[in-house]
Amino acid sequence: SFKANVFLSVSTVMSVMDRHMSVGAVLVACVLLLSLHSAFVAPGSNAATETHKQTIIADVVAPFEPGSWEEVRTGMADLGVATRFFAGVALAAVLLVTSGPARADIEDVAIPVDGKGKTVNLTREEIVRGKRLFIAACSYCHVGGGTRTNQNVGLGWEELSGAQPQRNNIEGMVDYLNSPTTYDGLKDISEVHPSIRAADIWPKMRTMKQKDLYDVSAYILYQNFVIPEKWGGGKQYY
């Protein structure tokens, strides 16, 4: 009969377990056996099935942990606490593995000052100020580091490095904002690009100081270091 098979299975399992194992562990085995039983028993009387289950549980638990059903309920509660604890540990492990490396602090990003290898580490205040100036004076045409009027030449590192003279450092960017030229550096374009040289026709440039040009240039280069995969892509990312 099924009940005889249940006791045989339980005896085999218990032979490799300590006789004084916790009630909670025994109940886990009971639940597994009852789940297997329910898969092969045809639908019938719910009351009869429930009585049969309780009989099996009582018979299995009694030999290994004498006591009342109050002790059984206590063991089940302990098992629930343990389950929640190990679930929390597993979740913490998953988060630790999937979180990836932390982004470097702002102060760890060295921004090129010139073409000779000099660098500078920006403060958080300088980055915030540079961003504010960029949004106010540049973002209309250069949202996300792209270029609205010429999508082939954005503010990404590759484009800035390929310009003549190079614009991949603060001094090169400041020089460009003072007196911009074509990508090959051969023709002045101060009248078609915002500049200090042609501030009379570019109202936003009239109040710009050299410190402002420095900060906005540093912000553009900073973005190339912290989000290189997005900066220069324009509206497809922003």
Side-chain angles (χ1 to χ4, degrees), residues 10-82:
V10 170
S11 298
T12 302
V13 173
M14 293 305 175
S15 65
V16 296
M17 295 182 178
D18 188 89
R19 181 174 180 80
H20 300 287
M21 66 189 298
S22 68
V23 176
V26 178
L27 289 176
V28 170
C30 293
V31 171
L32 293 175
L33 291 171
L34 288 174
S35 299
L36 180 63
H37 172 58
S38 62
F40 295 96
V41 176
S45 169
N46 291 335
T49 301
E50 187 62 29
T51 300
H52 186 56
K53 290 180 180 179
Q54 292 180 0
T55 301
I56 293 175
I57 292 175
D59 289 342
V60 172
V61 170
F64 297 97
E65 192 69 28
S68 65
W69 279 102
E70 183 62 34
E71 292 178 315
V72 174
R73 286 194 292 270
T74 301
M76 294 178 67
D78 291 341
L79 180 61
V81 172

Side-chain angles (χ1 to χ4, degrees), residues 197-213:
R197 182 173 183 175
D200 56 323
I201 59 176
W202 300 104
K204 290 185 179 180
M205 302 301 292
R206 295 173 191 172
T207 57
M208 284 280 191
K209 309 298 181 184
Q210 291 303 303
K211 171 60 175 173
D212 299 328
L213 301 183

Side-chain angles (χ1 to χ4, degrees), residues 166-181:
Q166 290 187 331
R167 304 164 191 167
N168 60 356
N169 58 78
I170 295 177
E171 289 185 359
M173 284 294 299
V174 170
D175 179 68
Y176 179 81
L177 294 174
N178 274 301
S179 183
T181 59

Side-chain angles (χ1 to χ4, degrees), residues 109-114 116-121 170 214:
V109 180
I111 306 299
V113 174
D114 55 29
K116 300 178 182 180
K118 181 181 179 181
T119 62
V120 65
N121 296 96
I170 295 177
Y214 182 100

